[in-house]
Amino acid sequence: MHNLKNETQRFCEFLEFFLSPLGLPGAYDYYTESKIDHFVCVCEELRDTGRLDVSRCSTVDLFHFTNSMIQLMKAFEQDPCLGWGEISEDNEASGLIEVMYIGLGYALIYEEDASAFDTDYVRALAAVARMKYSSFKSTISASALNEDDLKAFVQTRRGFLPLVMYNSEALQDNYKLIYYGEHSHTLRIVAKTLLNRAEWRKVERSRLCDILGVESEEELTKVIVSPENCATVAQVLSLDLDSFVGLLQSIELEYEKAAIINKYKQASELPSKITAAEIKNDEDRITPTEFIELTKSIGRVHPNYKANKKLMGMLLQNGTEIGVEISTTKTVNIWLNASRKAIALEPFIKAEYEQTSADESNYGRHSALRIYNQLSREPVIKLTLKSVGDAKLVINHLK
């Protein structure tokens, strides 16, 4: 089962990559304030139940939004630099794009003005039929079906769920507002829902202004979801007060949760303000992480390093490259070009390796060294350090 929340957030990050140079909001704003997650929720309900809440979305809106999303995701997929990876090699859709195809398919079947007979059309209908695109395409290719016949064919499939339209904002007394999950609502969307509810119940906005003490209708959006007005709004619009308050609490908790996550997002990436040398004695054992922090005093993480989990490259200020094995915690193993060999380092040398060439079948050294010029083919030495004192001595020699 795909995590639609994560995939939707990832899609918004792709949008930020393209649109942030234009001065538009960031990924978090796309996710919380745009209609993206709102329509994902609509499509998810269609996928699971075949039901469409027309108070949240019309079939025309559904068509335009899902079609736009699909075209964007296909553009991401076709850019080799992005690696979106939502569509597999056999053209089967998954995750976020899958629910977009389901929404598009329903819109194509039930909205007369939404028609464009192309591969997206066929794939969308396959999604609504709950069939693999390849199987669906093979089935219809054997028959000469026109557009109407193809829609009728989809509706006879075993997996098809007929569209059931309903209005959650109909004239229900003691109406319960339901929290659908993370960011399926925002306070702005809830305010719009309540104003729609007022319209359904024939409560004039001017009347709401009088009751809530607001001078203009433009201010209603802000005050209609405020804590001090919850009981009044619930009574005027015949809402279940507990569910209304619970919905607002859930949304604000989600905002707080997102803010906290964002606050600590880079916490683990920030370096410690102290090093092992400041809290350990020279004879104490040193770990690879502590050695790397000590080395940062005379260098930095190598620009060629690509998050390899077994070895990290370091580039010293004098141009020396070091490979630090990070997959072990018992000892610190580092790799140096043999030209840096010296008497001071001899007590720590564990192994020496001759020059190697691309023609040799046996690489003969750590495979993660291939991306570093001084360590990939040149003669190298491997050093093993066990204590803070060892590390200090080596670092002082290399700086």
Side-chain angles (χ1 to χ4, degrees), residues 278-305:
E278 297 174 280
I279 58 174
K280 288 188 173 184
N281 296 318
D282 282 359
E283 63 272 15
D284 289 341
R285 183 177 62 85
I286 190 168
T287 66
T289 300
E290 291 169 341
F291 177 80
I292 289 169
E293 290 304 316
L294 288 175
T295 308
K296 287 180 180 178
S297 65
I298 60 169
R300 60 190 175 97
V301 176
H302 201 292
N304 289 354
Y305 176 62

Side-chain angles (χ1 to χ4, degrees), residues 15-183:
L15 279 182
E16 180 183 29
F17 176 79
F18 284 103
L19 300 180
S20 59
L22 303 179
L24 297 177
Y28 178 76
D29 296 307
Y30 297 140
Y31 185 63
T32 58
E33 297 298 326
S34 73
K35 292 184 177 180
I36 293 175
D37 196 59
H38 172 74
F39 273 93
V40 169
C41 230
V42 169
C43 292
E44 195 172 13
E45 184 178 18
L46 280 169
R47 180 194 66 187
D48 297 338
T49 67
R51 288 163 52 86
L52 176 66
D53 184 352
V54 295
S55 69
R56 304 178 70 198
C57 169
S58 70
T59 51
V60 173
D61 291 338
L62 185 65
F63 167 75
H64 289 298
F65 187 87
T66 55
N67 192 46
S68 297
M69 282 282 286
I70 288 168
Q71 298 311 314
L72 275 173
M73 285 187 277
K74 285 172 64 179
F76 291 160
E77 173 67 24
Q78 292 167 5
D79 190 324
C81 298
L82 295 178
W84 171 252
E86 278 289 325
I87 304 178
S88 61
E89 293 181 358
D90 58 358
N91 286 327
E92 295 301 341
S94 64
L96 179 60
I97 201 169
E98 175 194 13
V99 296
M100 290 297 110
Y101 273 122
I102 287 177
L104 178 62
Y106 274 109
L108 290 169
I109 291 175
Y110 290 96
E111 180 55 51
E112 293 181 0
D113 295 333
S115 179
F117 199 92
D118 55 22
T119 54
D120 281 344
Y121 183 95
V122 175
R123 186 174 290 146
L125 293 183
V128 174
R130 274 67 174 182
M131 293 177 64
K132 290 182 66 176
Y133 173 61
S134 53
S135 302
F136 183 82
K137 194 173 181 180
S138 299
T139 302
I140 65 172
S141 63
S143 308
L145 299 177
N146 60 33
E147 186 174 332
D148 291 336
D149 291 338
L150 186 56
K151 290 180 181 179
F153 170 77
V154 169
Q155 295 177 69
T156 63
R157 299 300 89 193
R158 182 173 57 184
F160 175 75
L161 297 175
L163 182 66
V164 176
M165 297 187 185
Y166 71 101
N167 192 316
S168 63
E169 296 176 16
L171 299 178
Q172 300 176 26
D173 288 327
N174 205 32
Y175 178 69
K176 290 188 176 182
L177 288 161
I178 300 173
Y179 180 61
Y180 289 98
E182 295 122 330
H183 295 309

Side-chain angles (χ1 to χ4, degrees), residues 252-268:
E252 294 210 23
L253 284 171
E254 204 56 50
Y255 281 146
E256 292 295 328
K257 177 182 175 183
I260 292 170
I261 291 173
N262 188 60
K263 177 181 177 181
Y264 289 93
K265 188 175 182 179
Q266 296 179 331
S268 60

Side-chain angles (χ1 to χ4, degrees), residues 5 143 158 183 205 219 221 265 279 291 328 367 375:
K5 176 192 173 184
S143 308
R158 182 173 57 184
H183 295 309
R205 291 196 178 189
E219 296 179 48
T221 300
K265 188 175 182 179
I279 58 174
F291 177 80
T328 175
S367 60
L375 308 174

